[in-house]
Amino acid sequence: ISLNTYKAAYDKDVLIIAAAGNDGNSAYSYPASYPHVMSVGAVSSSESIAGFSQYNDQVEISGPGVNILSTIATNFDFFTYASWSGTSMATPHVAGVAALVWSNFPECTNNQIRNVLNKSAKDKGPNGCDDKYGFGIVQAKGAYDLLQEGGCEAGGPVHDDLSTGAIGGCNQDPDYTFPPTVAPTELNCDSSERIFELDLLTDIYGYETSWDIKDASDSVVKSGNGYASSTSNILNSCLANGCYKFTIYDSYGDGICCSYGVGYYTLVFDGEEVSTPTGGNFGFEETSEEFGQCGETISPTVPVAPTQSNFPSVLPSIYPSNSPTVVPSVSSEPSQAPSTAPSLSSAPTSSPTHSDAMYIVSLT
């Protein structure tokens, strides 16, 4: 599943919570490290971060995840109890608190509930948010009390596009205020032109990113570069009728997702989304499918000049040739973003560990 899938779910008011991973290193695991997903670390009963809990700038919150008693199936016929350790045991604690709190304040958005959980978390480790605990250990009563006192606004304002407030990790500012919406400059495209839209979020090395649009003759008709880091960029432009391809480049060779920040891009031409291979998780470059008027042939109209003759003449009938229409190939669905599958043996405990848990919370 790609980043854009989670972004679309987030915009539909769905809160997604996933395990940070059990490798005990700073690697990013997915989907937890996407900005539209809450990444959960694991703590012990002493409220210390577990040695196996992965740590990075996308870890957002923590929950109990060491020697957690849970039901397990035996031979698919019977159930028993066992103690398990892992960020997959911490994740349902956070998801459960989110569901409990949200059920009492159903008028709040997913982003507001998310921010309230972070804002009310019990701070541990270094002062403030850090890459191991995130904002701290989830607190059900603290979150409830904060909403009871301040209402949904305690989690920030509401925006038409909920994903605008999804940043993830310590950058998920609980007091984030949306900037005022600036009315876009109206494009005065000619009747023979169509509107091209680029939505680009750079990673933390924005200057590495550039792009261009080439026409059927492989000539560059539009391009962009020199972007700031971790910024949203929206471009609207007029393109004449024709066939085009969009190519995005990363000079370092690690794309814009997901090694150093979580960037992405989307393309729309004439109101239709243009398919891209990954939407951000590429190497040095990737190219979209063709868009616009591609492979279309127009049969010429051959005029027949009238003739003057004293005798009847039979004029040949000329018909346009039935040239085949070449349908542009459509690329496959965007490839699944790589996921770092935590090793089950990496946890510093005799209990088995899990790290692939993901929970979806929605009141809709």
Side-chain angles (χ1 to χ4, degrees), residues 68-115:
I68 303 300
L69 194 63
S70 178
T71 54
I72 61 172
T74 58
N75 299 326
F76 301 99
D77 295 322
F78 301 97
F79 293 88
T80 186
Y81 292 92
S83 293
W84 296 75
S85 295
T87 53
S88 292
M89 303 306 290
T91 302
H93 281 89
V94 176
V97 170
L100 176 65
V101 173
W102 205 354
S103 68
N104 284 277
F105 301 91
E107 67 277 14
C108 299
T109 67
N110 56 349
N111 202 64
Q112 290 174 319
I113 295 297
R114 177 180 186 173
N115 287 340

Tab-separated table of all heavy atoms in Angstrom, residues 68-115:
chain	number	residue	atom	x	y	z
A	68	ILE	N	3.280	-8.303	27.978
A	68	ILE	CA	1.847	-8.010	27.999
A	68	ILE	C	1.060	-9.309	27.868
A	68	ILE	O	1.250	-10.071	26.916
A	68	ILE	CB	1.468	-7.050	26.856
A	68	ILE	CG1	2.298	-5.761	26.946
A	68	ILE	CG2	-0.023	-6.749	26.883
A	68	ILE	CD1	2.112	-4.989	28.231
A	69	LEU	N	0.190	-9.560	28.824
A	69	LEU	CA	-0.626	-10.778	28.802
A	69	LEU	C	-1.681	-10.652	27.711
A	69	LEU	O	-2.412	-9.667	27.640
A	69	LEU	CB	-1.299	-10.982	30.158
A	69	LEU	CG	-1.911	-12.369	30.406
A	69	LEU	CD1	-0.842	-13.452	30.392
A	69	LEU	CD2	-2.654	-12.371	31.745
A	70	SER	N	-1.750	-11.661	26.863
A	70	SER	CA	-2.677	-11.607	25.735
A	70	SER	C	-3.244	-12.993	25.464
A	70	SER	O	-2.660	-14.013	25.838
A	70	SER	CB	-1.956	-11.086	24.489
A	70	SER	OG	-2.819	-11.078	23.380
A	71	THR	N	-4.386	-13.022	24.837
A	71	THR	CA	-4.979	-14.300	24.430
A	71	THR	C	-4.328	-14.771	23.137
A	71	THR	O	-4.034	-13.987	22.244
A	71	THR	CB	-6.490	-14.153	24.200
A	71	THR	OG1	-6.712	-13.095	23.267
A	71	THR	CG2	-7.217	-13.843	25.496
A	72	ILE	N	-4.099	-16.089	23.045
A	72	ILE	CA	-3.556	-16.679	21.823
A	72	ILE	C	-4.334	-17.954	21.511
A	72	ILE	O	-4.928	-18.585	22.399
A	72	ILE	CB	-2.058	-17.004	21.954
A	72	ILE	CG1	-1.819	-18.015	23.086
A	72	ILE	CG2	-1.247	-15.746	22.172
A	72	ILE	CD1	-0.390	-18.524	23.129
A	73	ALA	N	-4.360	-18.291	20.246
A	73	ALA	CA	-5.042	-19.505	19.817
A	73	ALA	C	-4.072	-20.677	19.822
A	73	ALA	O	-2.897	-20.521	19.467
A	73	ALA	CB	-5.624	-19.318	18.426
A	74	THR	N	-4.533	-21.844	20.210
A	74	THR	CA	-3.727	-23.062	20.163
A	74	THR	C	-4.461	-24.084	19.307
A	74	THR	O	-5.602	-24.452	19.590
A	74	THR	CB	-3.507	-23.641	21.567
A	74	THR	OG1	-4.758	-23.917	22.178
A	74	THR	CG2	-2.732	-22.649	22.433
A	75	ASN	N	-3.801	-24.529	18.249
A	75	ASN	CA	-4.389	-25.513	17.329
A	75	ASN	C	-5.716	-25.053	16.740
A	75	ASN	O	-6.539	-25.871	16.328
A	75	ASN	CB	-4.587	-26.862	18.042
A	75	ASN	CG	-3.278	-27.450	18.519
A	75	ASN	OD1	-2.247	-27.288	17.875
A	75	ASN	ND2	-3.316	-28.105	19.670
A	76	PHE	N	-5.938	-23.748	16.747
A	76	PHE	CA	-7.110	-23.140	16.123
A	76	PHE	C	-8.431	-23.573	16.780
A	76	PHE	O	-9.501	-23.280	16.285
A	76	PHE	CB	-7.161	-23.452	14.625
A	76	PHE	CG	-5.962	-22.976	13.883
A	76	PHE	CD1	-4.936	-23.854	13.569
A	76	PHE	CD2	-5.821	-21.646	13.540
A	76	PHE	CE1	-3.808	-23.418	12.898
A	76	PHE	CE2	-4.699	-21.189	12.856
A	76	PHE	CZ	-3.692	-22.088	12.549
A	77	ASP	N	-8.349	-24.305	17.877
A	77	ASP	CA	-9.571	-24.776	18.544
A	77	ASP	C	-9.708	-24.227	19.955
A	77	ASP	O	-10.819	-24.097	20.468
A	77	ASP	CB	-9.595	-26.310	18.604
A	77	ASP	CG	-9.675	-26.940	17.228
A	77	ASP	OD1	-10.396	-26.379	16.373
A	77	ASP	OD2	-9.027	-27.970	16.998
A	78	PHE	N	-8.585	-23.937	20.586
A	78	PHE	CA	-8.619	-23.508	21.978
A	78	PHE	C	-7.842	-22.205	22.129
A	78	PHE	O	-6.993	-21.867	21.308
A	78	PHE	CB	-8.014	-24.598	22.878
A	78	PHE	CG	-8.724	-25.921	22.800
A	78	PHE	CD1	-8.237	-26.916	21.964
A	78	PHE	CD2	-9.874	-26.153	23.531
A	78	PHE	CE1	-8.892	-28.127	21.868
A	78	PHE	CE2	-10.527	-27.361	23.437
A	78	PHE	CZ	-10.040	-28.352	22.604
A	79	PHE	N	-8.139	-21.499	23.208
A	79	PHE	CA	-7.469	-20.237	23.488
A	79	PHE	C	-6.834	-20.303	24.872
A	79	PHE	O	-7.344	-20.965	25.783
A	79	PHE	CB	-8.457	-19.069	23.439
A	79	PHE	CG	-9.010	-18.810	22.062
A	79	PHE	CD1	-10.145	-19.476	21.618
A	79	PHE	CD2	-8.382	-17.921	21.207
A	79	PHE	CE1	-10.644	-19.256	20.349
A	79	PHE	CE2	-8.869	-17.695	19.932
A	79	PHE	CZ	-9.998	-18.359	19.504
A	80	THR	N	-5.702	-19.634	24.996
A	80	THR	CA	-5.019	-19.570	26.276
A	80	THR	C	-4.377	-18.196	26.408
A	80	THR	O	-4.603	-17.321	25.574
A	80	THR	CB	-3.958	-20.677	26.393
A	80	THR	OG1	-3.419	-20.666	27.722
A	80	THR	CG2	-2.836	-20.478	25.380
A	81	TYR	N	-3.600	-18.012	27.455
A	81	TYR	CA	-2.942	-16.727	27.679
A	81	TYR	C	-1.427	-16.895	27.587
A	81	TYR	O	-0.877	-17.953	27.908
A	81	TYR	CB	-3.301	-16.158	29.058
A	81	TYR	CG	-4.741	-15.738	29.192
A	81	TYR	CD1	-5.703	-16.616	29.674
A	81	TYR	CD2	-5.129	-14.448	28.835
A	81	TYR	CE1	-7.029	-16.217	29.784
A	81	TYR	CE2	-6.441	-14.044	28.955
A	81	TYR	CZ	-7.393	-14.947	29.430
A	81	TYR	OH	-8.698	-14.556	29.536
A	82	ALA	N	-0.776	-15.842	27.148
A	82	ALA	CA	0.690	-15.822	27.086
A	82	ALA	C	1.164	-14.380	27.165
A	82	ALA	O	0.429	-13.458	26.822
A	82	ALA	CB	1.185	-16.481	25.797
A	83	SER	N	2.398	-14.212	27.641
A	83	SER	CA	2.983	-12.871	27.712
A	83	SER	C	3.812	-12.608	26.464
A	83	SER	O	4.672	-13.413	26.106
A	83	SER	CB	3.871	-12.748	28.960
A	83	SER	OG	3.090	-12.804	30.136
A	84	TRP	N	3.531	-11.498	25.836
A	84	TRP	CA	4.216	-11.125	24.610
A	84	TRP	C	4.856	-9.753	24.783
A	84	TRP	O	4.393	-8.923	25.564
A	84	TRP	CB	3.234	-11.064	23.437
A	84	TRP	CG	2.613	-12.380	23.088
A	84	TRP	CD1	1.627	-13.029	23.782
A	84	TRP	CD2	2.924	-13.204	21.972
A	84	TRP	NE1	1.298	-14.211	23.164
A	84	TRP	CE2	2.076	-14.341	22.041
A	84	TRP	CE3	3.818	-13.094	20.905
A	84	TRP	CZ2	2.123	-15.357	21.098
A	84	TRP	CZ3	3.849	-14.107	19.967
A	84	TRP	CH2	3.017	-15.226	20.067
A	85	SER	N	5.914	-9.520	24.019
A	85	SER	CA	6.588	-8.224	24.034
A	85	SER	C	6.772	-7.732	22.603
A	85	SER	O	7.031	-8.534	21.700
A	85	SER	CB	7.963	-8.322	24.716
A	85	SER	OG	7.826	-8.652	26.078
A	86	GLY	N	6.636	-6.441	22.417
A	86	GLY	CA	6.821	-5.882	21.083
A	86	GLY	C	6.054	-4.583	20.921
A	86	GLY	O	5.127	-4.278	21.691
A	87	THR	N	6.426	-3.803	19.933
A	87	THR	CA	5.670	-2.586	19.639
A	87	THR	C	4.269	-2.928	19.143
A	87	THR	O	3.371	-2.090	19.191
A	87	THR	CB	6.411	-1.722	18.603
A	87	THR	OG1	6.736	-2.512	17.455
A	87	THR	CG2	7.700	-1.151	19.186
A	88	SER	N	4.089	-4.176	18.683
A	88	SER	CA	2.748	-4.617	18.285
A	88	SER	C	1.835	-4.817	19.491
A	88	SER	O	0.614	-4.881	19.330
A	88	SER	CB	2.833	-5.936	17.501
A	88	SER	OG	3.459	-5.751	16.262
A	89	MET	N	2.410	-4.951	20.680
A	89	MET	CA	1.592	-5.018	21.889
A	89	MET	C	1.299	-3.608	22.407
A	89	MET	O	0.274	-3.376	23.056
A	89	MET	CB	2.312	-5.835	22.969
A	89	MET	CG	2.663	-7.243	22.536
A	89	MET	SD	1.252	-8.181	21.905
A	89	MET	CE	0.306	-8.421	23.399
A	90	ALA	N	2.193	-2.673	22.119
A	90	ALA	CA	1.968	-1.283	22.536
A	90	ALA	C	0.926	-0.606	21.656
A	90	ALA	O	0.129	0.221	22.128
A	90	ALA	CB	3.287	-0.513	22.472
A	91	THR	N	0.910	-0.954	20.378
A	91	THR	CA	0.015	-0.292	19.423
A	91	THR	C	-1.461	-0.421	19.782
A	91	THR	O	-2.198	0.573	19.731
A	91	THR	CB	0.283	-0.823	18.001
A	91	THR	OG1	1.652	-0.589	17.673
A	91	THR	CG2	-0.604	-0.143	16.981
A	92	PRO	N	-1.969	-1.625	20.156
A	92	PRO	CA	-3.392	-1.698	20.513
A	92	PRO	C	-3.751	-0.898	21.761
A	92	PRO	O	-4.903	-0.495	21.919
A	92	PRO	CB	-3.636	-3.199	20.706
A	92	PRO	CG	-2.299	-3.804	20.902
A	92	PRO	CD	-1.345	-2.962	20.128
A	93	HIS	N	-2.787	-0.664	22.653
A	93	HIS	CA	-3.068	0.204	23.804
A	93	HIS	C	-3.391	1.621	23.317
A	93	HIS	O	-4.363	2.244	23.764
A	93	HIS	CB	-1.869	0.245	24.754
A	93	HIS	CG	-1.742	-0.947	25.649
A	93	HIS	ND1	-1.045	-2.075	25.290
A	93	HIS	CD2	-2.238	-1.189	26.889
A	93	HIS	CE1	-1.106	-2.960	26.270
A	93	HIS	NE2	-1.821	-2.455	27.265
A	94	VAL	N	-2.573	2.127	22.395
A	94	VAL	CA	-2.802	3.486	21.880
A	94	VAL	C	-4.085	3.530	21.058
A	94	VAL	O	-4.885	4.470	21.188
A	94	VAL	CB	-1.598	3.948	21.035
A	94	VAL	CG1	-1.869	5.323	20.417
A	94	VAL	CG2	-0.333	3.996	21.895
A	95	ALA	N	-4.310	2.510	20.225
A	95	ALA	CA	-5.527	2.475	19.405
A	95	ALA	C	-6.774	2.391	20.281
A	95	ALA	O	-7.801	3.028	19.993
A	95	ALA	CB	-5.471	1.292	18.442
A	96	GLY	N	-6.680	1.617	21.362
A	96	GLY	CA	-7.814	1.502	22.271
A	96	GLY	C	-8.139	2.812	22.964
A	96	GLY	O	-9.311	3.188	23.098
A	97	VAL	N	-7.096	3.517	23.405
A	97	VAL	CA	-7.310	4.828	24.030
A	97	VAL	C	-7.918	5.798	23.022
A	97	VAL	O	-8.850	6.559	23.348
A	97	VAL	CB	-5.985	5.377	24.597
A	97	VAL	CG1	-6.153	6.838	25.020
A	97	VAL	CG2	-5.526	4.546	25.784
A	98	ALA	N	-7.407	5.775	21.792
A	98	ALA	CA	-7.939	6.670	20.758
A	98	ALA	C	-9.423	6.415	20.529
A	98	ALA	O	-10.228	7.349	20.446
A	98	ALA	CB	-7.157	6.489	19.452
A	99	ALA	N	-9.799	5.137	20.429
A	99	ALA	CA	-11.209	4.789	20.200
A	99	ALA	C	-12.082	5.191	21.386
A	99	ALA	O	-13.196	5.710	21.215
A	99	ALA	CB	-11.334	3.292	19.925
A	100	LEU	N	-11.574	4.949	22.593
A	100	LEU	CA	-12.330	5.289	23.807
A	100	LEU	C	-12.570	6.794	23.896
A	100	LEU	O	-13.707	7.249	24.117
A	100	LEU	CB	-11.567	4.801	25.033
A	100	LEU	CG	-12.171	5.167	26.401
A	100	LEU	CD1	-13.510	4.479	26.598
A	100	LEU	CD2	-11.197	4.794	27.522
A	101	VAL	N	-11.519	7.563	23.716
A	101	VAL	CA	-11.636	9.019	23.814
A	101	VAL	C	-12.517	9.563	22.701
A	101	VAL	O	-13.402	10.405	22.921
A	101	VAL	CB	-10.239	9.666	23.791
A	101	VAL	CG1	-10.349	11.185	23.708
A	101	VAL	CG2	-9.446	9.262	25.030
A	102	TRP	N	-12.303	9.095	21.483
A	102	TRP	CA	-13.045	9.597	20.320
A	102	TRP	C	-14.536	9.290	20.452
A	102	TRP	O	-15.383	10.075	20.016
A	102	TRP	CB	-12.481	8.986	19.055
A	102	TRP	CG	-12.701	9.804	17.811
A	102	TRP	CD1	-13.438	10.951	17.685
A	102	TRP	CD2	-12.173	9.538	16.513
A	102	TRP	NE1	-13.406	11.416	16.394
A	102	TRP	CE2	-12.628	10.567	15.652
A	102	TRP	CE3	-11.345	8.535	15.995
A	102	TRP	CZ2	-12.299	10.599	14.297
A	102	TRP	CZ3	-11.014	8.574	14.652
A	102	TRP	CH2	-11.486	9.602	13.808
A	103	SER	N	-14.862	8.139	21.054
A	103	SER	CA	-16.275	7.784	21.208
A	103	SER	C	-17.012	8.754	22.119
A	103	SER	O	-18.233	8.908	22.025
A	103	SER	CB	-16.404	6.353	21.748
A	103	SER	OG	-15.925	6.270	23.083
A	104	ASN	N	-16.277	9.425	23.003
A	104	ASN	CA	-16.887	10.423	23.891
A	104	ASN	C	-16.950	11.807	23.255
A	104	ASN	O	-17.709	12.660	23.705
A	104	ASN	CB	-16.100	10.500	25.201
A	104	ASN	CG	-16.384	9.341	26.134
A	104	ASN	OD1	-17.359	9.355	26.880
A	104	ASN	ND2	-15.538	8.320	26.065
A	105	PHE	N	-16.149	11.998	22.195
A	105	PHE	CA	-16.139	13.297	21.503
A	105	PHE	C	-16.180	13.045	19.995
A	105	PHE	O	-15.221	13.351	19.268
A	105	PHE	CB	-14.887	14.093	21.887
A	105	PHE	CG	-14.764	14.362	23.371
A	105	PHE	CD1	-14.077	13.477	24.193
A	105	PHE	CD2	-15.355	15.482	23.938
A	105	PHE	CE1	-13.967	13.704	25.552
A	105	PHE	CE2	-15.250	15.722	25.298
A	105	PHE	CZ	-14.558	14.830	26.116
A	106	PRO	N	-17.276	12.466	19.505
A	106	PRO	CA	-17.355	12.062	18.090
A	106	PRO	C	-17.331	13.226	17.109
A	106	PRO	O	-17.125	13.015	15.918
A	106	PRO	CB	-18.687	11.306	18.017
A	106	PRO	CG	-19.503	11.870	19.144
A	106	PRO	CD	-18.525	12.152	20.239
A	107	GLU	N	-17.542	14.431	17.611
A	107	GLU	CA	-17.541	15.587	16.715
A	107	GLU	C	-16.116	16.022	16.341
A	107	GLU	O	-15.930	16.846	15.445
A	107	GLU	CB	-18.275	16.760	17.363
A	107	GLU	CG	-17.601	17.365	18.591
A	107	GLU	CD	-17.887	16.610	19.882
A	107	GLU	OE1	-18.396	15.472	19.815
A	107	GLU	OE2	-17.603	17.161	20.962
A	108	CYS	N	-15.108	15.482	17.018
A	108	CYS	CA	-13.724	15.842	16.721
A	108	CYS	C	-13.233	15.102	15.474
A	108	CYS	O	-13.743	14.040	15.119
A	108	CYS	CB	-12.815	15.489	17.899
A	108	CYS	SG	-13.221	16.343	19.447
A	109	THR	N	-12.237	15.654	14.827
A	109	THR	CA	-11.637	15.001	13.669
A	109	THR	C	-10.503	14.071	14.113
A	109	THR	O	-10.043	14.128	15.259
A	109	THR	CB	-11.054	16.032	12.687
A	109	THR	OG1	-9.927	16.679	13.305
A	109	THR	CG2	-12.096	17.072	12.295
A	110	ASN	N	-10.063	13.230	13.187
A	110	ASN	CA	-8.943	12.333	13.493
A	110	ASN	C	-7.690	13.113	13.885
A	110	ASN	O	-6.958	12.719	14.804
A	110	ASN	CB	-8.647	11.419	12.298
A	110	ASN	CG	-8.368	12.185	11.003
A	110	ASN	OD1	-8.583	13.385	10.908
A	110	ASN	ND2	-7.893	11.470	9.987
A	111	ASN	N	-7.449	14.207	13.215
A	111	ASN	CA	-6.251	14.989	13.500
A	111	ASN	C	-6.319	15.629	14.887
A	111	ASN	O	-5.310	15.726	15.592
A	111	ASN	CB	-6.065	16.067	12.435
A	111	ASN	CG	-4.642	16.554	12.330
A	111	ASN	OD1	-3.751	15.784	11.981
A	111	ASN	ND2	-4.419	17.823	12.635
A	112	GLN	N	-7.513	16.041	15.300
A	112	GLN	CA	-7.674	16.620	16.633
A	112	GLN	C	-7.471	15.565	17.717
A	112	GLN	O	-6.813	15.814	18.728
A	112	GLN	CB	-9.054	17.271	16.749
A	112	GLN	CG	-9.199	18.542	15.923
A	112	GLN	CD	-10.613	19.095	15.943
A	112	GLN	OE1	-11.593	18.341	15.869
A	112	GLN	NE2	-10.737	20.411	16.025
A	113	ILE	N	-8.028	14.362	17.518
A	113	ILE	CA	-7.830	13.283	18.484
A	113	ILE	C	-6.355	12.930	18.567
A	113	ILE	O	-5.789	12.738	19.661
A	113	ILE	CB	-8.673	12.043	18.098
A	113	ILE	CG1	-10.170	12.368	18.198
A	113	ILE	CG2	-8.308	10.855	18.976
A	113	ILE	CD1	-10.651	12.713	19.593
A	114	ARG	N	-5.713	12.832	17.418
A	114	ARG	CA	-4.276	12.521	17.376
A	114	ARG	C	-3.470	13.551	18.162
A	114	ARG	O	-2.608	13.194	18.988
A	114	ARG	CB	-3.828	12.497	15.918
A	114	ARG	CG	-2.345	12.259	15.696
A	114	ARG	CD	-2.046	12.268	14.201
A	114	ARG	NE	-0.673	11.905	13.905
A	114	ARG	CZ	-0.200	11.704	12.678
A	114	ARG	NH1	-1.018	11.854	11.633
A	114	ARG	NH2	1.060	11.371	12.479
A	115	ASN	N	-3.736	14.815	17.930
A	115	ASN	CA	-2.992	15.872	18.618
A	115	ASN	C	-3.259	15.881	20.112
A	115	ASN	O	-2.360	16.158	20.913
A	115	ASN	CB	-3.337	17.226	18.009
A	115	ASN	CG	-2.727	17.425	16.640
A	115	ASN	OD1	-1.776	16.755	16.276
A	115	ASN	ND2	-3.286	18.348	15.871
